Amino acid sequence: NGAAFTADSAWYNNFNAGATNIFAQKGSGTTRQFFEINLNAQTATTYAIPANAFTYVTATNTYAATGGLLSIGTYDMTNRKISGSFTGVTAGAITITNGSFANLPYK
């Protein structure tokens, strides 16, 4: 919604075989903001949202995606790094533009 979000920490993991979970967190307590992106694959490609879950969470609200795109440009299983970009709209009319992440580590 026009406000920049720069994460204090970000990472990805594979909780389930064949899936990818991407996380980014900023702040704590009442200033906490959190992005969670759940993919049903481990491939560098473009994914439709909400078919692949995307959620933005604040200390007081949770906003699930109602539409958007997530593009994974690099999915490096050998060095355990992932990079990509995303846009979307959530329930509650939060608009996300120019989202990006580069070389997130596996955690």
Side-chain angles (χ1 to χ4, degrees):
N1 268 0
F5 176 97
T6 301
D8 296 329
S9 63
W11 66 95
Y12 85 99
N13 60 38
N14 307 100
F15 286 125
N16 300 306
T20 302
N21 310 99
I22 301 168
F23 303 95
Q25 180 174 314
K26 177 181 179 179
S28 62
T30 59
T31 64
R32 182 176 184 250
Q33 298 175 61
F34 192 84
F35 279 100
E36 180 178 349
I37 301 169
N38 299 302
L39 303 175
N40 57 8
Q42 296 176 337
T43 305
T45 192
T46 299
Y47 298 89
I49 299 171
N52 296 286
F54 173 96
T55 307
Y56 170 62
V57 180
T58 67
T60 56
N61 291 301
T62 299
Y63 302 95
T66 58
L69 292 174
L70 170 70
S71 179
I72 302 295
T74 303
Y75 201 121
D76 184 344
M77 295 290 279
T78 303
N79 296 305
R80 294 185 158 203
K81 301 285 184 184
I82 189 171
S83 299
S85 61
F86 57 96
T87 61
V89 176
T90 70
I94 303 290
T95 300
I96 300 158
T97 59
N98 300 317
S100 66
F101 49 96
N103 295 317
L104 294 186
Y106 180 86
K107 184 175 180 181

